[in-house]
Amino acid sequence: MDKIGPIGVFDSGYGGLTVLQEFIRVLPEYDYLYLGDNARAPYGNRSFDVVHEFTLEAVNYLKNQGCKLVILACNTSSAKALRTIQQIDLVHSDANFRVLGVIRPSTETIGALSKNNSIGILGTPGTIHSESYKIELEKLSPSSRIFQHACPMWVPLIESNQHHTELGKKIIQNDIKVLLSKERSIDTILLACTHYPLILQQIQDFVGPSISVISQGPIVADKLKDYLSRNEFMQKQISRGASCSFLTTENSVVFQEAAMQFLAQSIKAEQIKL
Ligand code: DGL
């Protein structure tokens, strides 16, 4: 058996911290290595080629740090890069190394959460225009009707902490109105961007109690737990020191300060170059 290593968790920026937090809650015994490509975020409006190139660089970096399992805790990367990485880039790589995303686990769960099969999806333009959620949900939950809307301003608003300003609130509410204008009976909204849990309460307050607003962190964490329980070999490749380290392509002090918003605790980060 090769050396053991931490679970790599990647996001374009801070959003993946909302997923990491759930991993730690559900699987506290493992070591985690988080990498945020904050210097090049947001990815949401970037092309397929660029998101693939950036994501692959991050995956290779985490692999070189000893990770045997990397989770793309970023919908944009999962939508635009995961398949190419799994099916082309990693084919000749270490057979024991795996990269997983957040879209499949979310679509396996979300169909069953709607009572009337009317599901709204909010995400970045990259995620929404890739149609990944629609395609997966049509396979896994054929009776569901999917209504999507891209919110290009939400990640920049959250990253710059402007989502509570009057202008920020107005932009967010306008996007929700556009989604709901597509179908009045939507009873479940999936936040298909790992940044959005930060404004979950704001969204829930605006749509009211008849619509469930779902964050994907807890879903992805439960699915990871299930995956590891079925993959003893992978389980044995992960180190168990209950630690968490943070890497960022931004200035580490900037990352540490902003990460507090997401994790509600102070952390130490290291700046790296991809
Ligand atoms: N957290 C990323 C996601 O889930 C944000 C993408 C971005 O950088 O725009 O899509």
Side-chain angles (χ1 to χ4, degrees):
M1 164 90 63
D2 282 356
K3 278 203 196 125
I4 56 174
I7 298 177
V9 180
F10 170 71
D11 184 42
S12 58
Y14 302 108
L17 295 171
T18 62
V19 179
L20 174 69
Q21 205 170 27
E22 297 299 324
F23 288 168
I24 295 170
R25 185 179 59 79
V26 171
L27 297 162
E29 66 273 33
Y30 292 117
D31 290 319
Y32 296 91
L33 179 57
Y34 185 88
L35 169 53
D37 190 8
N38 303 78
R40 302 190 291 193
Y43 281 10
N45 299 314
R46 294 188 186 273
S47 67
F48 265 89
D49 289 0
V50 172
V51 173
H52 169 240
E53 183 192 322
F54 289 0
T55 306
L56 183 60
E57 283 173 2
V59 165
N60 283 331
Y61 191 95
L62 289 167
K63 185 166 180 268
N64 291 335
Q65 296 297 305
C67 298
K68 298 288 194 245
L69 175 64
V70 171
I71 312 293
L72 303 184
C74 174
N75 288 270
T76 311
S77 289
S78 299
K80 291 190 159 189
L82 179 63
R83 191 142 298 172
T84 316
I85 290 176
Q86 285 174 331
Q87 295 179 356
I88 298 174
D89 303 310
L90 293 183
V91 167
H92 302 296
S93 152
D94 177 355
N96 302 329
F97 178 68
R98 290 276 179 285
V99 182
L100 305 174
V102 288
I103 295 179
R104 178 81 190 198
S106 304
T107 50
E108 280 172 357
T109 307
I110 190 79
L113 300 181
S114 169
K115 293 194 180 68
N116 63 9
N117 295 325
S118 303
I119 299 170
I121 310 273
L122 294 169
T124 65
T127 299
I128 299 303
H129 298 147
S130 75
E131 298 270 301
S132 302
Y133 274 94
K134 216 168 158 36
I135 295 165
E136 285 293 320
L137 273 163
E138 276 164 5
K139 278 190 269 172
L140 294 168
S141 179
S143 54
S144 296
R145 293 182 314 135
I146 313 302
F147 305 93
Q148 309 191 86
H149 177 62
C151 311
M153 290 307 294
W154 288 20
V155 171
L157 280 174
I158 294 167
E159 291 252 335
S160 59
N161 209 7
Q162 297 291 305
H163 48 283
H164 291 304
T165 62
E166 280 315 305
L167 180 63
K169 283 189 206 159
K170 222 183 172 81
I171 292 171
I172 290 165
Q173 290 174 2
N174 275 342
D175 280 315
I176 300 168
K177 281 188 203 156
V178 175
L179 175 71
L180 297 180
S181 72
K182 296 184 182 195
E183 174 56 52
R184 293 174 70 91
S185 69
I186 289 173
D187 71 347
T188 305
I189 295 178
L190 176 71
L191 304 183
C193 172
T194 53
H195 280 71
Y196 298 176
L198 251 83
I199 53 169
L200 188 145
Q201 200 52 53
Q202 203 170 316
I203 300 169
Q204 188 68 73
D205 290 346
F206 184 68
V207 299
S210 60
I211 300 179
S212 308
V213 182
I214 311 290
S215 158
Q216 58 190 168
I219 298 175
V220 178
D222 285 343
K223 291 284 179 184
L224 176 62
K225 187 174 182 178
D226 180 52
Y227 169 81
L228 290 173
S229 71
R230 287 182 287 105
N231 288 274
E232 209 182 320
F233 184 77
M234 181 55 82
Q235 228 187 85
K236 286 188 177 147
Q237 296 196 107
I238 304 170
S239 52
R240 293 166 184 249
S243 75
C244 197
S245 308
F246 297 88
L247 305 173
T248 175
T249 53
E250 239 302 353
N251 175 287
S252 55
V253 176
V254 172
F255 181 87
Q256 285 162 195
E257 277 169 13
M260 286 219 288
Q261 237 206 113
F262 288 77
L263 290 175
Q265 70 179 73
S266 55
I267 55 143
K268 273 253 156 285
E270 182 192 336
Q271 184 173 9
I272 57 141
K273 263 197 164 40
L274 287 177

